[in-house]
Amino acid sequence: MQQADLILTNATIVDGSGADRYVADIAIAGERIAAIGSFPDATAPRLDVSGLVVAPGFIDSHTHDDGYLLAHPDMTPKVSQGITTVVTGNCGVSLAPLDPSIADRIPQPLDLLGPPELFRFSRFADWIAELRATPAAVNVIPLVGHTTLRVATMDDTQRPATEPEIAAMQVMMEEALQAGAFGMSTGTFYPPAAHAPTAEIMAVGAPMRTHGGLYATHLRDETDQIVPAMQEALDIGRELDCLVVLSHHKLAGQANHGRSAETLALIDRAATLQPVCLDCHPYPATSTMLRLDRVRIARRTMITWSKGYPEAKGRDFADLMAELGLDEQALLEKLTPAGAIYFLMDEKDVRRIMAHPSAMVGSDGLPFDPHPHPRQWGTFTNVLRTLVREQSVLTLEEAVHKMTGLAARNYGVAERGLLQPGYYADLVLFDPEQVGDRATFDVPVQASQGIQGVWVNGQRVWADGAAGTARPGQVLVPTRRASATAAASAA
C-alpha cells in the first residue's frame, strides 16, 4: 500500500453497490481511496470507527443549489446529512445562461434559485468557471435548464418558441454541453415553459445527440394526466437517444393516490425499450411557488415565504384566509410572489416509489426559502431513519445504493459512488442506530444527528457536528456516452 494520509480502522463498509456490509480498514491518500483491507503495520494517522458505517458520500440527485453553492460554499444543509455531490439545474431552471440585465425581473420559478445578484452569468461556462475558481464543500453535477434558455431568448414565454428562438437556444445548449453540462432539464409544469410543445424540447435538446447527455424532467402534470406526461418525457428521451430522469416522481392529489402502482409499471415497461430512472424524496409533501391549482388539491398548504405579506411565512394558507377574511384568489394576490409547501401525496405511494429499483434519492430543497421544506436539511437522514431503521422498507445496503452507486452510474460519473481502491475519497461516516433527521415542517432548519464525519475528495468537511473550512468540491466532468441505447444494450 502507498503511504496514506489517514486510515479509518474497523469500519463497517457499505460500499454503494448494494452488496452486503463487511468490516475492514480504509486508507485515504490525497483525493483517493488508497486501499481497503487490514493495515496493522501502516504508520499513517488512524481513526477508529468501530461500530460505525462508512459509505460513499451521498449524491443528491435533485437540487436547486445552483446559487447556494456560491453564496454559502460551506453547504451545511447538505454536508450535515452526508451529501458530497449535488445535481443542479433541475426542473428546467438553472442559474445560467441568463443576461444579467434581466436578473431583477426574472419570472417564477427562476427566483427560487436565489436573489437577483446571483444571476450574473450570461454563459453557462462563466458559472462553471466561477464554481471552479471559488469551489464549495461539495462536488457539482450541473444540468442546463430549458426554462432558463426560454427566458434568455424569448420576449414572451407564453407561446411556443419560433424557429430563430429555437436556434438561439440550441446555440446556448451546445455551449453549455461543451462547458460541462451533464444534460438538460425541463419544467413544463411551470408558466415560463408550459407553452413549449414537445417538438420544441426535442429541437432544443438536439445537441445532446452529438455531445451526449441526459434528460431530467419535472413533468407537465403529476395529477390526473400524469401518464400522458410520462409518455411525452419518454418520447423526448427516445428522440434524443438519452437517459430520462423522472424528477421527484409523485402522484399529487387524493384522486391520484395509489396510482404509483400504475406509473411504476409504466416505467418498468419503458425500461425494456430505453434508459429511464427516477428520483424521489421520502416526504408526503412537496414545495414550490404558490399556485392555486396546488392549494386546491392539497390537504394542507404552508407558506414558506411571501414578498406581498412577509408575515405569512410558516403559516397555513387556510388560517390566513380566515384571519384576513379573504377568499383563495384574493389571498393569492396578497401573498404573491410566494412559495409554499403542499401536503398532497399519499405515504403508501411515497414508500412504493422509494422502494422501486430505479429510484434515486433527491432532496429537491429550495435553499433560499426563509421557512424551507425540511427536505433541504433532512432528506437523506430521513431515509435512513424512517425507511431503513423504523419501517424496514429498505435495507441499509439498498438505501445507500440508491444514494450513491445508482446515482453515479445514472449520471455517468467516473470513480465515485462506490468504495473501491482508486476511487475518489467521498465518504460519509455515521452511526446506523442513531442517524436521523431533526428537520421538521415546523422547525425545518436543523442539522441531522448521527453523521460523524464527511470527506469530499479526501478532505473532511463535517466533523463534531459542524462544517469545516475546507472547500474541496469539484465541478464533475461527465463520462459522455456515444449512445444511450448502445449503453443500455451493453448493460
Side-chain angles (χ1 to χ4, degrees), residues 187-209:
T188 46
F189 167 77
Y190 292 108
H195 293 276
T198 307
E200 175 189 313
I201 298 169
M202 291 174 173
V204 171
M208 290 199 296
R209 286 199 288 268

Side-chain angles (χ1 to χ4, degrees), residues 57-60 361 380-381 383-384 398-405 407:
F58 302 148
I59 298 173
D60 192 340
V361 180
F380 286 72
T381 46
V383 169
L384 296 174
E398 288 170 338
V400 169
H401 174 59
K402 290 175 175 294
M403 299 172 176
T404 59

Side-chain angles (χ1 to χ4, degrees), residues 269-471:
R269 291 193 300 273
T272 65
L273 303 173
Q274 65 185 105
V276 58
C277 64
L278 59 109
D279 66 60
C280 54
H281 62 68
Y283 301 91
T286 188
S287 181
T288 186
M289 59 187 284
L290 182 61
R291 295 171 51 136
L292 280 188
D293 61 346
R294 286 299 174 265
V295 172
R296 288 167 178 161
I297 64 171
R299 57 187 177 273
R300 176 190 175 196
T301 299
M302 175 188 285
I303 304 302
T304 58
W305 61 275
S306 168
K307 288 189 176 179
Y309 187 59
E311 300 93 324
K313 180 189 74 172
R315 303 285 305 281
D316 276 20
F317 191 89
D319 292 343
L320 290 166
M321 285 178 60
E323 180 180 304
L324 299 175
L326 300 174
D327 63 18
E328 290 176 339
Q329 183 63 42
L331 181 57
L332 176 76
E333 292 171 1
K334 182 176 182 63
L335 299 179
T336 301
I341 294 170
Y342 305 97
F343 295 80
L344 43 62
M345 295 139 70
D346 179 69
E347 292 196 13
K348 291 180 181 178
D349 282 324
V350 173
R351 290 193 293 270
R352 184 183 291 126
I353 292 167
M354 288 292 307
H356 192 269
S358 69
M360 304 177 292
V361 180
S363 69
D364 194 22
L366 301 174
F368 287 98
D369 275 10
H371 187 101
H373 191 300
R375 63 193 182 185
Q376 175 68 13
W377 285 79
T379 290
F380 286 72
T381 46
N382 182 287
V383 169
L384 296 174
R385 175 179 66 84
T386 62
L387 299 182
V388 175
R389 196 168 64 244
E390 296 176 356
Q391 300 173 9
S392 299
V393 172
L394 299 168
T395 66
L396 180 59
E397 288 84 353
E398 288 170 338
V400 169
H401 174 59
K402 290 175 175 294
M403 299 172 176
T404 59
L406 178 63
R409 185 177 71 207
N410 284 333
Y411 283 95
V413 177
E415 300 178 328
R416 298 183 194 269
L418 299 174
L419 295 187
Q420 291 186 10
Y423 274 46
Y424 287 92
D426 294 345
L427 310 172
V428 56
L429 173 69
F430 62 90
D431 183 339
E433 300 303 320
Q434 298 295 324
V435 68
D437 53 321
R438 287 195 179 107
T440 66
F441 287 101
D442 291 327
V443 187
V445 181
Q446 297 192 77
S448 299
Q449 65 183 22
I451 300 291
Q452 304 292 336
V454 179
W455 288 260
V456 175
N457 298 311
Q459 297 188 48
R460 197 164 185 175
V461 297
W462 181 261
D464 302 320
T469 58
R471 303 288 181 265

